[in-house]
mmCIF file of all heavy atoms in Angstrom:
data_model
loop_
_atom_site.group_PDB
_atom_site.id
_atom_site.type_symbol
_atom_site.label_atom_id
_atom_site.label_comp_id
_atom_site.label_asym_id
_atom_site.label_seq_id
_atom_site.Cartn_x
_atom_site.Cartn_y
_atom_site.Cartn_z
ATOM 1 N N GLY A 332 -6.615 -23.311 -4.094
ATOM 2 C CA GLY A 332 -5.465 -23.930 -4.735
ATOM 3 C C GLY A 332 -4.260 -23.010 -4.777
ATOM 4 O O GLY A 332 -4.359 -21.810 -4.526
ATOM 5 N N PRO A 333 -3.088 -23.558 -5.104
ATOM 6 C CA PRO A 333 -1.863 -22.759 -5.134
ATOM 7 C C PRO A 333 -1.791 -21.845 -6.351
ATOM 8 O O PRO A 333 -2.481 -22.055 -7.342
ATOM 9 C CB PRO A 333 -0.760 -23.826 -5.189
ATOM 10 C CG PRO A 333 -1.415 -24.987 -5.881
ATOM 11 C CD PRO A 333 -2.847 -24.984 -5.415
ATOM 12 N N GLY A 334 -0.933 -20.832 -6.255
ATOM 13 C CA GLY A 334 -0.646 -19.989 -7.417
ATOM 14 C C GLY A 334 -1.288 -18.619 -7.412
ATOM 15 O O GLY A 334 -1.008 -17.804 -8.300
ATOM 16 N N VAL A 335 -2.144 -18.300 -6.433
ATOM 17 C CA VAL A 335 -2.822 -16.999 -6.426
ATOM 18 C C VAL A 335 -1.825 -15.896 -6.072
ATOM 19 O O VAL A 335 -1.142 -15.962 -5.045
ATOM 20 C CB VAL A 335 -3.995 -16.992 -5.428
ATOM 21 C CG1 VAL A 335 -4.565 -15.577 -5.283
ATOM 22 C CG2 VAL A 335 -5.081 -17.946 -5.891
ATOM 23 N N ARG A 336 -1.730 -14.891 -6.933
ATOM 24 C CA ARG A 336 -0.799 -13.781 -6.724
ATOM 25 C C ARG A 336 -1.487 -12.414 -6.792
ATOM 26 O O ARG A 336 -0.962 -11.424 -6.303
ATOM 27 C CB ARG A 336 0.327 -13.820 -7.773
ATOM 28 C CG ARG A 336 1.141 -15.114 -7.747
ATOM 29 C CD ARG A 336 1.965 -15.253 -6.485
ATOM 30 N NE ARG A 336 2.706 -16.506 -6.465
ATOM 31 C CZ ARG A 336 2.297 -17.615 -5.834
ATOM 32 N NH1 ARG A 336 1.162 -17.603 -5.148
ATOM 33 N NH2 ARG A 336 3.027 -18.702 -5.864
ATOM 34 N N PHE A 337 -2.650 -12.358 -7.441
ATOM 35 C CA PHE A 337 -3.368 -11.091 -7.593
ATOM 36 C C PHE A 337 -4.865 -11.298 -7.330
ATOM 37 O O PHE A 337 -5.395 -12.387 -7.531
ATOM 38 C CB PHE A 337 -3.209 -10.523 -9.009
ATOM 39 C CG PHE A 337 -1.789 -10.299 -9.438
ATOM 40 C CD1 PHE A 337 -1.103 -11.265 -10.155
ATOM 41 C CD2 PHE A 337 -1.137 -9.112 -9.130
ATOM 42 C CE1 PHE A 337 0.208 -11.063 -10.563
ATOM 43 C CE2 PHE A 337 0.178 -8.897 -9.532
ATOM 44 C CZ PHE A 337 0.849 -9.879 -10.247
ATOM 45 N N VAL A 338 -5.513 -10.225 -6.898
ATOM 46 C CA VAL A 338 -6.976 -10.190 -6.789
ATOM 47 C C VAL A 338 -7.466 -9.039 -7.658
ATOM 48 O O VAL A 338 -7.007 -7.894 -7.496
ATOM 49 C CB VAL A 338 -7.444 -9.976 -5.342
ATOM 50 C CG1 VAL A 338 -8.973 -9.943 -5.283
ATOM 51 C CG2 VAL A 338 -6.892 -11.056 -4.417
ATOM 52 N N ARG A 339 -8.363 -9.340 -8.571
ATOM 53 C CA ARG A 339 -8.937 -8.297 -9.426
ATOM 54 C C ARG A 339 -10.387 -8.048 -9.006
ATOM 55 O O ARG A 339 -11.227 -8.943 -9.075
ATOM 56 C CB ARG A 339 -8.889 -8.682 -10.906
ATOM 57 C CG ARG A 339 -9.374 -7.555 -11.830
ATOM 58 C CD ARG A 339 -9.326 -7.975 -13.297
ATOM 59 N NE ARG A 339 -9.657 -6.872 -14.179
ATOM 60 C CZ ARG A 339 -10.906 -6.492 -14.469
ATOM 61 N NH1 ARG A 339 -11.934 -7.150 -13.943
ATOM 62 N NH2 ARG A 339 -11.137 -5.466 -15.275
ATOM 63 N N PHE A 340 -10.670 -6.836 -8.552
ATOM 64 C CA PHE A 340 -11.988 -6.439 -8.054
ATOM 65 C C PHE A 340 -12.613 -5.479 -9.062
ATOM 66 O O PHE A 340 -12.013 -4.457 -9.403
ATOM 67 C CB PHE A 340 -11.822 -5.756 -6.691
ATOM 68 C CG PHE A 340 -13.092 -5.280 -6.049
ATOM 69 C CD1 PHE A 340 -13.661 -5.988 -4.998
ATOM 70 C CD2 PHE A 340 -13.717 -4.111 -6.472
ATOM 71 C CE1 PHE A 340 -14.824 -5.537 -4.380
ATOM 72 C CE2 PHE A 340 -14.888 -3.661 -5.877
ATOM 73 C CZ PHE A 340 -15.434 -4.380 -4.825
ATOM 74 N N GLU A 341 -13.815 -5.803 -9.542
ATOM 75 C CA GLU A 341 -14.509 -4.925 -10.498
ATOM 76 C C GLU A 341 -15.975 -4.810 -10.114
ATOM 77 O O GLU A 341 -16.619 -5.807 -9.768
ATOM 78 C CB GLU A 341 -14.403 -5.487 -11.921
ATOM 79 C CG GLU A 341 -15.168 -4.646 -12.952
ATOM 80 C CD GLU A 341 -15.146 -5.272 -14.342
ATOM 81 O OE1 GLU A 341 -14.055 -5.362 -14.929
ATOM 82 O OE2 GLU A 341 -16.227 -5.687 -14.823
ATOM 83 N N HIS A 342 -16.494 -3.597 -10.156
ATOM 84 C CA HIS A 342 -17.933 -3.400 -9.934
ATOM 85 C C HIS A 342 -18.433 -2.243 -10.795
ATOM 86 O O HIS A 342 -17.637 -1.496 -11.367
ATOM 87 C CB HIS A 342 -18.250 -3.166 -8.446
ATOM 88 C CG HIS A 342 -17.621 -1.933 -7.863
ATOM 89 N ND1 HIS A 342 -17.766 -1.569 -6.551
ATOM 90 C CD2 HIS A 342 -16.828 -0.973 -8.410
ATOM 91 C CE1 HIS A 342 -17.110 -0.455 -6.320
ATOM 92 N NE2 HIS A 342 -16.545 -0.071 -7.425
ATOM 93 N N GLY A 343 -19.759 -2.145 -10.867
ATOM 94 C CA GLY A 343 -20.323 -1.074 -11.667
ATOM 95 C C GLY A 343 -21.825 -1.211 -11.823
ATOM 96 O O GLY A 343 -22.462 -2.058 -11.202
ATOM 97 N N GLY A 344 -22.370 -0.359 -12.674
ATOM 98 C CA GLY A 344 -23.817 -0.381 -12.907
ATOM 99 C C GLY A 344 -24.268 0.801 -13.744
ATOM 100 O O GLY A 344 -23.462 1.498 -14.365
ATOM 101 N N GLN A 345 -25.570 1.027 -13.733
ATOM 102 C CA GLN A 345 -26.175 2.141 -14.474
ATOM 103 C C GLN A 345 -27.589 2.344 -13.976
ATOM 104 O O GLN A 345 -28.109 1.528 -13.189
ATOM 105 C CB GLN A 345 -26.206 1.834 -15.968
ATOM 106 C CG GLN A 345 -27.161 0.693 -16.354
ATOM 107 C CD GLN A 345 -27.310 0.549 -17.859
ATOM 108 O OE1 GLN A 345 -26.569 -0.184 -18.486
ATOM 109 N NE2 GLN A 345 -28.290 1.246 -18.415
ATOM 110 N N ASP A 346 -28.223 3.426 -14.417
ATOM 111 C CA ASP A 346 -29.646 3.565 -14.082
ATOM 112 C C ASP A 346 -30.484 2.838 -15.134
ATOM 113 O O ASP A 346 -29.974 2.437 -16.185
ATOM 114 C CB ASP A 346 -30.045 5.043 -13.928
ATOM 115 C CG ASP A 346 -30.238 5.764 -15.258
ATOM 116 O OD1 ASP A 346 -30.891 5.213 -16.162
ATOM 117 O OD2 ASP A 346 -29.748 6.902 -15.412
ATOM 118 N N THR A 347 -31.741 2.646 -14.871
ATOM 119 C CA THR A 347 -32.616 1.927 -15.806
ATOM 120 C C THR A 347 -33.611 2.856 -16.494
ATOM 121 O O THR A 347 -34.454 2.403 -17.267
ATOM 122 C CB THR A 347 -33.396 0.822 -15.071
ATOM 123 O OG1 THR A 347 -34.094 1.383 -13.950
ATOM 124 C CG2 THR A 347 -32.460 -0.269 -14.576
ATOM 125 N N LEU A 348 -33.507 4.148 -16.216
ATOM 126 C CA LEU A 348 -34.425 5.124 -16.813
ATOM 127 C C LEU A 348 -33.757 5.938 -17.909
ATOM 128 O O LEU A 348 -34.429 6.680 -18.622
ATOM 129 C CB LEU A 348 -34.963 6.060 -15.723
ATOM 130 C CG LEU A 348 -35.715 5.362 -14.580
ATOM 131 C CD1 LEU A 348 -36.060 6.366 -13.490
ATOM 132 C CD2 LEU A 348 -36.971 4.682 -15.101
#
Side-chain angles (χ1 to χ4, degrees):
V335 172
R336 301 292 179 263
F337 303 94
V338 180
R339 185 181 186 278
F340 180 104
E341 177 184 295
H342 62 181
Q345 68 172 90
D346 78 46
T347 54
L348 301 174

